[in-house]
Amino acid sequence: LWYREDIFKAAGLETDPQKVQQRIKTWNDWLQLGEDLRKKNAKTALVADAFNDIFWPMVYQKGYGWFDGNRVVVQEKAVPALKKAVEARKRKIDANIDWWGPEWAQGLKENAFAGMGTASWMQSGLLQQHPQTVGKWRVIRAPEGDFNWGGDFMAIPQQGKNKDAAWEFVKYVCCTAEGQNARLKPTGIFPAFTPAYKDPVYDQGIDFFGGQKVYRLWAEVAENVPGNPVHPSDRQASDIVGNEITKVEKNGKDPAQAMKDAEATILKQIEGVTR
């Protein structure tokens, strides 16, 4: 979880990451912090969009994807997270601003929200598009469990003319500490190759985060996150789940019913999966 040290300080809230971490033991603690922020500064929410900043971290705490083997696990993974997102919206913990669009960018500039539930790769985008926030972010571990969000995939086209050279590049950038850390240092895009974590940079304060030793924290998270094999139909299932989430957010559909309906649609449309 990311938060803006400057906004917290102006609101009279604790800003030291260790002390904030001590306070945030549960997701309810995070929502309560959002209410405390609103009381101090009515114009600033804790996060932009509860259906992104809270829902997805809670889902990914249970591992990636919507399948356990070929068994659909939408209801057990998504219902608690979706209920928490709905609760956050009702308690005005979020700014009701959709991610990624111009409204989100403007909200960031105008301090419409003070935090995010996101991943390490966000550093790269903020460095390029919102340099005014450099040095103002701080990070704590998510309550109730670590999570991973995202990842890179590489492929060498069969029709490629330099497949051997491409394979050497893939091995270097993915499977050597030097290659992985060459990407990390200018961008914050975090390695999956754990031997890379022995580099001294992981124990240095990072200017982007106001000198906080964020990379060591992320290394600890990376060693602890749950993992799941990627199912061939995860993308299709995510689209189906996403359609139901929209009905909850925009139309007030019951979260439990929405995820039950999503699971039923997946079972109907995707061959070979079971409940």
Side-chain angles (χ1 to χ4, degrees):
L1 301 180
W2 297 36
Y3 65 92
R4 286 275 297 276
E5 188 271 346
D6 57 325
I7 297 177
F8 274 29
K9 184 177 181 180
L13 299 174
E14 180 59 64
T15 62
D16 178 75
Q18 289 185 329
K19 293 181 179 179
V20 176
Q21 186 77 76
Q22 289 172 1
R23 174 178 176 176
I24 308 302
K25 302 296 185 183
T26 67
W27 283 104
N28 288 334
D29 294 337
W30 187 236
L31 267 58
Q32 184 59 54
L33 180 61
E35 286 196 342
D36 294 346
L37 176 62
R38 281 286 199 190
K39 291 175 183 177
K40 299 284 187 176
N41 184 351
K43 295 182 179 180
T44 302
L46 180 60
V47 295
D49 177 14
F51 292 88
N52 191 93
D53 291 278
I54 294 172
F55 175 80
W56 285 112
M58 287 187 69
V59 167
Y60 289 142
Q61 284 177 325
K62 297 180 180 180
Y64 177 82
W66 299 113
F67 301 94
D68 180 4
N70 283 322
R71 185 172 69 88
V72 184
V73 292
V74 168
Q75 292 187 72
E76 62 190 77
K77 289 187 68 173
V79 170
L82 195 51
K83 287 182 176 180
K84 190 62 65 180
V86 170
E87 177 188 351
R89 176 65 56 84
K90 289 179 178 179
R91 292 170 63 179
K92 299 183 179 180
I93 305 303
D94 74 342
N96 197 0
I97 296 174
D98 291 338
W99 266 64
W100 308 120
E103 188 180 2
W104 187 90
Q106 190 64 30
L108 188 60
K109 293 178 181 178
E110 296 179 353
N111 296 343
F113 53 92
M116 299 183 289
T118 189
S120 58
W121 39 256
M122 181 58 71
Q123 181 184 344
S124 178
L126 292 175
L127 276 168
Q128 298 174 40
Q129 300 173 21
H130 298 280
Q132 77 278 6
T133 68
V134 171
K136 297 177 181 179
W137 294 103
R138 303 292 184 272
V139 176
I140 62 170
R141 292 170 86 154
E144 303 184 36
D146 294 317
F147 70 93
N148 178 68
W149 188 341
D152 289 341
F153 300 85
M154 294 186 180
I156 300 172
Q158 182 63 42
Q159 64 270 36
K161 297 180 180 180
N162 298 291
K163 291 193 287 290
D164 290 340
W167 177 236
E168 291 302 314
F169 171 78
V170 169
K171 288 193 292 183
Y172 171 76
V173 78
C174 293
C175 302
T176 68
E178 181 183 25
Q180 290 268 279
N181 289 327
R183 296 184 69 205
L184 169 71
K185 292 174 183 178
T187 66
I189 296 173
F190 205 75
F193 187 62
T194 57
Y197 305 162
K198 297 177 182 179
D199 191 286
V201 71
Y202 292 84
D203 294 304
Q204 295 173 3
I206 305 302
D207 291 341
F208 183 89
F209 297 98
Q212 185 182 358
K213 297 179 180 179
V214 170
Y215 293 167
R216 180 53 60 194
L217 182 150
W218 284 343
E220 294 170 359
V221 169
E223 297 278 12
N224 197 48
V225 293
N228 294 89
V230 177
H231 192 278
S233 297
D234 266 320
R235 181 60 62 85
Q236 184 180 353
S238 288
D239 290 342
I240 293 169
V241 172
N243 288 336
E244 289 294 333
I245 292 172
T246 299
K247 295 175 184 178
V248 173
E249 180 180 5
K250 306 299 183 184
N251 304 327
K253 186 172 182 177
D254 175 69
Q257 185 62 50
M259 294 301 95
K260 182 178 181 180
D261 291 347
E263 198 163 285
T265 302
I266 290 169
L267 289 165
K268 182 179 180 180
Q269 293 187 3
I270 300 176
E271 186 176 353
V273 300
T274 62
R275 176 173 282 114

